[in-house]
Amino acid sequence: MNARDPDPQAGPAPAAASPSPPAARRGPRGPADLFTAFTVMAMQGFGGVLAVVQRELVERRGWLSDAEFIEEWAVAQVLPGPNVCNLALMYGWRQFGWRGASAALAGLLCLPLLLLVAVASLLRQGADLAAVQGVLRGMGAVA
């Protein structure tokens, strides 16, 4: 056996290292994952939520690239209605159809709605208290 002949007991030669494909972006595992992500966004944002949504979808979860996020956000701004609701519906629909759109929008709206109802019921129960009346007067002055 000469130096050019491979050793039959050595096994197959290692495959040439091929460049690995770029890391695939992961997406939501299901509608429940969308619900959770959009609930987290809803509880962090008040008013302008662009930075919160971008951080959650692009940086933290890696579901969208910067370019994809900018494109989605641009379309969401053109559609009538709240931008973040439009984004939730579009992204959810693209991921899981109507179930994804429903889950994303529900995640965005359910917990804030429940908190609002809870606060309203507490205020109603204490409407006769002087402290609650003062709080309501103060909120009225700033509104």
Side-chain angles (χ1 to χ4, degrees):
M1 177 157 78
N2 64 30
R4 284 194 232 165
D5 292 333
D7 183 8
Q9 294 177 349
S18 63
S20 61
R25 240 182 349 274
R26 56 191 165 97
R29 293 181 301 270
D33 209 9
L34 280 172
F35 180 87
T36 303
F38 280 92
T39 298
V40 167
M41 284 183 250
M43 296 314 297
Q44 291 179 38
F46 184 80
V49 293
L50 174 61
V52 173
V53 174
Q54 192 272 341
R55 182 179 61 238
E56 190 70 24
L57 294 180
V58 176
E59 296 171 12
R60 184 166 175 263
R61 295 187 186 260
W63 291 351
L64 293 170
S65 69
D66 279 326
E68 290 169 330
F69 176 77
I70 290 169
E71 184 178 326
E72 294 274 331
W73 191 255
V75 174
Q77 287 181 320
V78 172
L79 296 172
N83 296 340
V84 73
C85 290
N86 293 338
L87 180 71
L89 287 169
M90 288 186 317
Y91 186 72
W93 182 268
R94 288 186 183 172
Q95 296 301 310
F96 302 105
W98 68 268
R99 293 180 314 122
S102 300
L105 188 61
L108 198 60
L109 300 177
C110 283
L111 191 54
L113 178 64
L114 290 174
L115 288 173
L116 182 68
V117 169
V119 168
S121 68
L122 288 174
L123 286 175
R124 183 164 187 204
Q125 288 177 0
D128 296 333
L129 299 173
V132 173
Q133 290 173 358
V135 166
L136 292 175
R137 267 194 306 274
M139 283 194 268
V142 235

